[in-house]
Amino acid sequence: DIIQALDNPSYRARRIGLPLLAGFLGLGDPGRTLHIYSMLNAAFWVLLLFATIRLVGLERPRDFLLLAALVWTTGSLASMARALTDLPAAVLGFLALLLHNQGYVPAILLGMTALIKDVSMLGFAAMPWTGNDRDKKFSRLVISALIMLLPIILWAVYVHLRVSAGSPTGSKNFSCPLVAFTQKVSQAAHSLKTDFSGKPFLHQLFLIFEFLCPLSLCAQSAYFCVKMKISSEIWRFGIGFVVLFSVLGASVWQEQFAYSRVLLPLSFAFNLLLHRYEHGKTFACWYFLGNVGMFWLAVETLWQIIH
């Protein structure tokens, strides 16, 4: 029985998007569906790669830097390695930003992100603010909101009616603003100081990235506060995840693979903002600060390949 196999059915069932897609592609066959599900993250990674090349282009150095920050960041690779929901949801959100002028396409994509991962609703503020006059603008906002909200609301109601509440899984994922983040940085700095000497080179690199990764995410969040661009759909998409960054609990900050993928939409929005609006030394400074700690898994993978 599927319900008995899950540790917390009501919590797990909220994220129906990927299982639904896998079941559709698998034509109802359980074995085929399972294999397809395990490959969906890789498919979304390829989609991210080609969408960036097609919609952004690879003509300038900043284009290559953007691509690297998207496809090689630890959050993307961790989600792909563990077949989780973070990368697919972030990719659809990213596509919604790149296609923000394509009618109701962005709203459809954002609605799909919520079905894949419910916390993606934090990006709903990116809904298109378009229209030639106030009435058309308001009607477009209303229709976009319905497109984004109705699927996840209807599914949440269905889950509530069909599945028992279960234990409060995920309730410890949050804390008072910046408390868990401060504890994480302090612990990482202490480990870097006490455990660095005499350890293998790869472990030393890991300790360095354990310290740098939270600071890079802090720099990404700071950019949204320092460079406020409310009129930009990219800024509106990412600002909700800045709030999420500030209230994440110690259970999420415990593992780099966890917090880097949970905040993947923040990283995507940050790098897209830099690519679009910043230039010269300002671009270089923010890009370095926001990404220097985000490539641990890529470095580890490259090291293992070489050795």
Side-chain angles (χ1 to χ4, degrees), residues 16 54 76 100 119 129 139 159 168 182 226 233-234 254 287:
I16 190 60
R54 177 66 178 85
S76 295
H100 71 282
V119 76
W129 292 6
S139 64
V159 171
T182 303
V226 174
E233 71 284 350
I234 306 172
Q254 185 175 2
Y287 185 89

Side-chain angles (χ1 to χ4, degrees), residues 214-278:
L215 294 180
S216 288
L217 290 168
C218 183
Q220 293 179 11
S221 299
Y223 178 84
F224 280 81
C225 300
V226 174
K227 302 273 191 172
M228 296 184 65
K229 296 179 176 65
I230 299 177
S231 62
S232 169
E233 71 284 350
I234 306 172
W235 188 91
R236 298 196 307 272
F237 175 84
I239 191 62
F241 296 96
V242 174
V243 177
L244 178 63
F245 160 84
S246 69
V247 298
L248 283 180
S251 61
V252 181
W253 285 111
Q254 185 175 2
E255 185 187 28
Q256 186 178 157
F257 288 178
Y259 59 80
S260 63
R261 60 179 174 78
V262 168
L263 295 171
L264 199 55
L266 170 63
S267 296
F268 280 19
F270 165 78
N271 282 285
L272 194 54
L273 279 174
L274 291 188
H275 180 272
R276 183 168 297 183
Y277 295 109
E278 304 299 342

Side-chain angles (χ1 to χ4, degrees), residues 174-193:
F174 305 99
S175 70
C176 295
L178 298 179
V179 171
F181 165 76
T182 303
Q183 293 173 344
K184 171 62 182 181
V185 174
S186 176
Q187 293 169 359
H190 182 265
S191 297
L192 191 59
K193 180 179 179 180

